[in-house]
Amino acid sequence: MTEPSPPRAAGRGGRTVPHPLDADAVRTWCALALTALGRERERIDAINVYPVADGDTGTNLYLTVESAARAVEAAFDGHGASGTAPDLADAVGAMAHGALIGARGNSGTILAQLLRGMAEILGSGSGSGSRSGSGDEDGAEAGPGGPAAVLKQALRRAAESTYEAVAHPVEGTVLTVATVAAQAAERADGTPAAVARAAYEGARAALEATPGQLAVLGRAGVVDAGGCGLVALLGALAGALSGEVPTAAITVRPDAPVPVAGGCPAAEGAGQASEEACSEGTAPVGPHGNDADPDGPAFEVLYLLEADDPAVARLRTRLDALGDSLVVVGGDGLWNVHVHVDDAGAAVEAGIEAGRPYRIRITHFGAPDSGGRGPRRRAPEPAARAVVAVVPGDGLAGLCAEAGATAVTVRPGEPPASGELVQAIRQANAREVMLLPNDPELRHTAAAAAEQARTEGVRVALIPTRAAVQGIAALAVHEPARSFDEDMVAMTSAAGATRYAELAVAERQSWTMAGVCQAGDVLGLIDGDVVVIGSDLAATAVTVLDRMLSAGGEMVTLVLGADFPDSLAERLERHVRERHLAVDTVVYEGGQRGAPLLIGVE
């Protein structure tokens, strides 16, 4: 999968190529938003005081948009392979889905829901009948159902959906900024570009008013961090449609004193904080107390969840009783869950009862990448050296954890973004890190992550592992007591001495190195190339093993997929023992979904 590309034909002086409301506009929107959030990330992190002063809102928004941009690029790549082009519905749907699966933190999760709300309208057919979304070239509003009207509806739906996702909405946050932006868009006339510009200007005005609506912001003298990110996103949308990209920095610290006690000034159309909160000069609180309280919940828990609507409704109720800052977004069987709790295990167990949680992330607010809630939680001293590994299943993630490594678990078709790898490196909290991408397609992504981590003072070695079994071999010889260079050489040598193979099931008819395969055929790949085409899983696995061991070997590693039969694993062990003397076999429950079996031969 390609990395998000910069805005095409972008020029100097804050200009790019204007687009009508179409798929190309969405692509450019993603690229401009990524650039804007990259520019503003550190400033947004610095003003992050609500709901938790953990200094990561800018980073979380950047990672969420990075995932969205990758998904849009994948949509274009997929259509390009077939000689077609995506329409507006394809592009905006990909953007929303990418944000959903890559959402990080409270702010990223809300942003994912906002984009999903926009996709409901833009992808419904109201404005996506053609690539331009309009019968004319300039994208001007052509009646009540024209593209400008559709964009207004999409912005209104986006604002509404954010309130639906948050268990206890609070004004003076990104929710208010989204609402005021939608109201400003409603009053605009003309093209989609004019509507987007009005939304951007409305969001800027609403953002400047947030310190007067939320006392914790007023006391800190800053605007809402999540709202700041939304302003950047809407500025990028306006730039994609008009060609005029906002270049001025977003105001994060209002010059004028912010009145809190005795009044809650707000932008026109913004919801007010409660009168009691204003009169007391305190932030609005939910049933669990002030979310900004330094003695609040200790952990942030996030996970993707496959579950039906009734189960998610029950999950919301249970998680709301466990903690605060609850945000559940998604639909159609896939959800992103975010909550702050003291009992992280209970939050995960609730997800297991509701469906199948995965990509589980648990962050202690005293951890080095969280910024901490207060002085009572001190960050631990960095370790001398750590390992970060990308793995395709929960079983391998557990294996890495047992070995002291930090795992980044991925699913087929959902590779990690470079920012996600950077976050994992930070989470490892070490002065030196060995990074195992375990996939040739992640070479450039991992290199970018390593370079970013180095700018933050972490010494990173990128071990060239091309498969999970090579990662296992490298991890087995990792020795922190050795010098950095010696450890890097030993791990690289172990990975290079491990041949790798996997079994896969063909999804369609295609040409391979071994001939033509049909949909449903079992494919045996060695070192990335198809060498066997079979109809039976067991027979194909045996053939692949024999081919690999014909060149010699001392140990076979079998990593079983989620649905791989135990009886078949025993059969393969027995085959190796009987046919290949003096070769040991080790079996791991990998849990990966994409490949029924991974094989390594050392």
Side-chain angles (χ1 to χ4, degrees), residues 474-498:
L475 187 57
V477 300
H478 167 58
E479 179 50 68
R482 282 194 294 246
S483 72
F484 182 82
D485 292 337
E486 289 175 338
D487 200 25
M488 178 178 63
V489 169
M491 295 178 74
T492 300
S493 298
T498 303

Side-chain angles (χ1 to χ4, degrees), residues 63 97 117 174 180 198 285 314 321 380 397 453 463 535 582:
L63 294 177
H97 180 72
V174 64
V180 177
V285 297
R314 293 190 295 271
I463 309 300
S535 58

Side-chain angles (χ1 to χ4, degrees), residues 18-22 130 132-142 147 191-192 241:
H19 293 281
L21 187 59
D22 64 1
S130 68
S132 68
S134 169
D136 50 39
E137 290 300 316
D138 63 4
E141 185 169 4
T191 65
L241 295 175

